[in-house]
Amino acid sequence: DADVTQTPRNRITKTGKRIMLECSQTKGHDRMYWYRQDPGLGLRLIYYSFDVKDINKGEISDGYSVSRQAQAKFSLSLESAIPNQTALYFCATSESGSAGELFFGEGSRLTVL
Amino acid sequence: AQKITQTQPGMFVQEKEAVTLDCTYDTSDPSYGLFWYKQPSSGEMIFLIYQGSYDQQNATEGRYSLNFQKARKSANLVISASQLGDSAMYFCAMNILNRDDKIIFGKGTRLHILP
């Protein structure tokens, strides 16, 4: 089993729907991140969390919210999805006090029609 | 604020040649880390190499080396003896250590290795 698991892996939805992407990890890392990847734009940081009580906005948090339900779980929500949120979303973890190497999930491809 | 710039959207290189992928960064903080990740067509993100701002020597990992030029704020990835399997998207990234520690990425370079 993967150390960082994202569900769903693929999702097609309609404008205005609420969507939740879930991430769970078995690495025991404190730090978790959500990125989105768009062609030509690389990976952009949406939100990050360094422990259960610590949530921080990244570069592009508008239109998104997150929940850190436990050390191992970090969910990303789109309250009212819009077409320009169509992207590949990655969850990642890293270890506190380390150089910061990220361990990525396999990605969740979201299409908003 | 920190910033990563990758100026090569795409590159074509003959198999077995060495490849240099450019990365420049911008930060006023003295303590930072620099990373390179590979993303093959299958989509997963693979960590390649790390360089700390205080590291005296350039990082190396097998065929990968990081050409760290602090004064120029550049952190180019060098792949020696390229292979067909090196065809992928490559991302440069950085974090500011012991401050916010969030990791930000450049836009990437798509590398094509030609047989």
Side-chain angles (χ1 to χ4, degrees), chain A residues 20-31:
Chain A
M20 179 180 287
L21 305 180
E22 298 184 334
C23 179
S24 62
Q25 52 117 345
T26 58
K27 297 194 72 70
H29 290 166
D30 289 327
R31 299 180 176 190

Side-chain angles (χ1 to χ4, degrees), chain A residues 31 33 35 37 40-43 45 48 50 57-59 88 90 98-106, chain B residues 33 35 37 39 42-47 50 89 91 95 97 99-108:
Chain A
R31 299 180 176 190
Y33 308 78
Y35 290 89
Q37 182 179 9
L41 296 179
L43 277 78
L45 183 60
Y48 60 108
F50 285 174
K57 292 183 177 181
E59 304 165 83
L88 180 60
F90 283 103
S98 72
E101 176 192 345
L102 292 170
F103 295 84
F104 283 87
E106 294 173 302
Chain B
F35 307 79
Y37 285 84
Q39 187 182 40
S42 50
E44 74 268 30
M45 295 289 289
I46 302 168
F47 168 75
Y50 168 80
M89 196 75 174
F91 293 101
N95 66 342
L97 298 174
R99 187 151 60 85
D100 55 28
D101 263 341
K102 63 179 186 284
I103 298 174
I104 64 162
F105 286 78
K107 295 182 179 182

Side-chain angles (χ1 to χ4, degrees), chain A residues 29-96:
Chain A
H29 290 166
D30 289 327
R31 299 180 176 190
M32 298 187 74
Y33 308 78
W34 276 105
Y35 290 89
R36 69 174 275 178
Q37 182 179 9
D38 300 275
L41 296 179
L43 277 78
R44 293 181 290 169
L45 183 60
I46 307 172
Y47 272 96
Y48 60 108
S49 169
F50 285 174
D51 66 42
V52 175
K53 296 181 181 179
D54 176 72
I55 304 287
N56 303 282
K57 292 183 177 181
E59 304 165 83
I60 52 161
S61 58
D62 286 349
Y64 301 95
S65 62
V66 291
S67 172
R68 185 82 185 264
Q69 301 96 322
Q71 187 206 36
K73 295 185 182 296
F74 192 37
S75 300
L76 177 71
S77 293
L78 289 67
E79 296 300 325
S80 179
I82 56 177
N84 77 0
Q85 291 178 312
T86 293
L88 180 60
Y89 290 85
F90 283 103
C91 175
T93 73
S94 69
E95 192 173 5
S96 299

Side-chain angles (χ1 to χ4, degrees), chain B residues 1-112:
Chain B
Q2 70 222 67
K3 185 179 178 183
I4 290 280
T5 301
Q6 294 181 254
T7 57
Q8 305 154 310
M11 287 184 70
F12 290 83
V13 173
Q14 208 67 42
E15 189 181 10
K16 300 181 184 175
E17 290 184 352
V19 181
T20 298
L21 304 180
D22 294 341
C23 174
T24 58
Y25 60 92
D26 188 24
T27 180
S28 56
D29 204 293
S31 302
Y32 51 89
L34 296 156
F35 307 79
W36 278 92
Y37 285 84
K38 173 184 179 180
Q39 187 182 40
S41 57
S42 50
E44 74 268 30
M45 295 289 289
I46 302 168
F47 168 75
L48 295 178
I49 199 166
Y50 168 80
Q51 178 89 40
S53 59
Y54 293 119
D55 293 343
Q56 294 296 314
Q57 302 211 335
N58 287 345
T60 60
E61 291 286 348
R63 293 186 300 114
Y64 303 108
S65 60
L66 198 151
N67 184 2
F68 181 45
Q69 297 189 38
K70 201 167 184 176
R72 290 183 160 189
K73 294 189 175 179
S74 77
N76 298 342
L77 178 70
V78 180
I79 306 174
S80 63
S82 58
Q83 302 170 356
L84 295 178
D86 294 332
S87 293
M89 196 75 174
Y90 289 81
F91 293 101
C92 182
M94 75 176 293
N95 66 342
I96 306 302
L97 298 174
N98 303 320
R99 187 151 60 85
D100 55 28
D101 263 341
K102 63 179 186 284
I103 298 174
I104 64 162
F105 286 78
K107 295 182 179 182
T109 295
R110 184 167 293 283
L111 177 63
H112 303 270

